[in-house]
Amino acid sequence: QAQVVESGGGQVQAGGSLRLSCTASGLPFDSYSMGWFRQAPGSEREGVSCISWNGAIRTYADSVKGRFTISRENAKRTLYLQMNSLKPEDTAMYYCAAVRWCLDSGPGPYEPNSWGQGTQVTVSS
């Protein structure tokens, strides 16, 4: 059973920055592509970004392209999401998960049982 823990969320003003982290155990982290997802209240889950197992492929949703940067440290089993120039519409619960592949615009299908509890990001105007 995978255990995934996200952290780093918080409340910031528009234009600010946050760095999210996600630590995974119980799965072969360095064999999986990893993705960040987000879900705002009343909205569907949205794929935000994806990174291949070796970091060679990184993809982003159009809504965050140029502002967010995904990275990973396989030795630490940790995934990151650097979020700059935050906007109120970025407000959501952010989750990471192992995914089967990356799409051109973010993560592909996620692996069941690889979700964490999420970390809340709130951006005020």
Side-chain angles (χ1 to χ4, degrees):
Q1 181 79 17
Q3 291 189 338
V4 176
V5 179
E6 301 93 341
S7 62
Q11 185 166 354
V12 297
Q13 290 190 328
S17 298
L18 284 173
R19 189 193 196 201
L20 306 184
S21 297
C22 164
T23 302
S25 60
L27 76 163
F29 182 83
D30 57 2
S31 297
Y32 274 106
S33 295
M34 295 294 295
W36 284 102
F37 300 79
R38 67 186 181 185
Q39 188 166 19
S43 299
E44 293 188 355
R45 181 185 298 143
E46 174 189 16
V48 175
S49 184
C50 186
I51 186 168
S52 61
W53 69 273
N54 62 354
I57 297 172
R58 308 183 192 205
T59 63
Y60 302 90
D62 289 341
S63 57
V64 306
K65 199 172 294 183
R67 300 187 297 120
F68 291 10
T69 302
I70 192 170
S71 61
R72 65 190 297 163
E73 287 188 79
N74 286 344
K76 295 183 178 180
R77 309 176 67 85
T78 301
L79 176 73
Y80 304 99
L81 187 68
Q82 178 67 44
M83 306 187 297
N84 299 329
S85 302
L86 282 161
K87 304 176 180 180
E89 51 263 44
D90 294 318
T91 295
M93 187 73 79
Y94 283 71
Y95 304 88
C96 72
V99 298
R100 298 181 182 177
W101 52 77
C102 293
L103 301 173
D104 288 344
S105 59
Y110 60 86
E111 291 289 342
N113 301 317
S114 70
W115 289 93
Q117 296 299 308
T119 186
Q120 177 68 38
V121 172
T122 303
V123 185
S124 57
S125 58

